[in-house]
Amino acid sequence: MRLIHAARCIVLLLPVFVHAASSHVHGVSKMDLALDGNMLTLAMEVPLDNVLGFVHFPQTEKQHAALAGVLKTLKDASELFFPTAAAECKLESVRIADPFPDSKAKSEGHVDVDAEYVFRCAKPAALKSLETSLFKRFRRLQRIDVQRVTGKGQGAAKMSPQQPRITW
């Protein structure tokens, strides 16, 4: 069932999210938002520097603790994302990819945290906005570029500390 849902989301998202080149900008994260039936999926790519302050493999106990704290905060989706209350969305699942799998440093010049949040909405037709507290929790984060696909169409928006809510 999850595989079918994931395949549907990918098919829905492909026309909107095909990018010629993926660029990495400190302070800027990317979010893909898809509403498929009653399932709201948020897929994020967050440069590690935006949420941690460094992009290298943790060297000290303090850095390891900081990384663990960031990953714990990112897993707490119910405190990070607020869909329209009238839609009655409940968190279904969270997946946060370890930015350093196998406890190894990446050789590329930057490191991202990939996250996926899935909500089940009892009244998806009432879903008209999404607000986030990410900017309050991660001061280095300055902008989230959002690509959106819903039954009402496609669109793009930007979230910021001054505008942490998107509507459609």
Side-chain angles (χ1 to χ4, degrees), residues 130-143:
L130 178 73
E131 188 168 341
T132 186
S133 67
L134 284 167
F135 299 106
K136 292 178 183 174
R137 295 171 182 273
F138 302 112
R139 300 288 182 189
R140 295 175 66 90
L141 181 60
Q142 296 302 307
R143 190 177 83 218

Side-chain angles (χ1 to χ4, degrees), residues 42-86:
L42 309 175
M44 291 197 68
E45 180 181 293
V46 183
L48 196 58
D49 182 66
N50 293 355
V51 293
L52 190 59
F54 60 87
V55 295
H56 59 77
F57 184 75
Q59 309 278 321
T60 66
E61 281 295 317
K62 184 176 178 180
Q63 289 177 342
H64 280 282
L67 176 59
V70 162
L71 297 177
K72 181 179 178 185
T73 298
L74 288 173
K75 287 179 184 175
D76 193 7
S78 62
E79 293 296 319
L80 297 176
F81 300 104
F82 309 97
T84 308

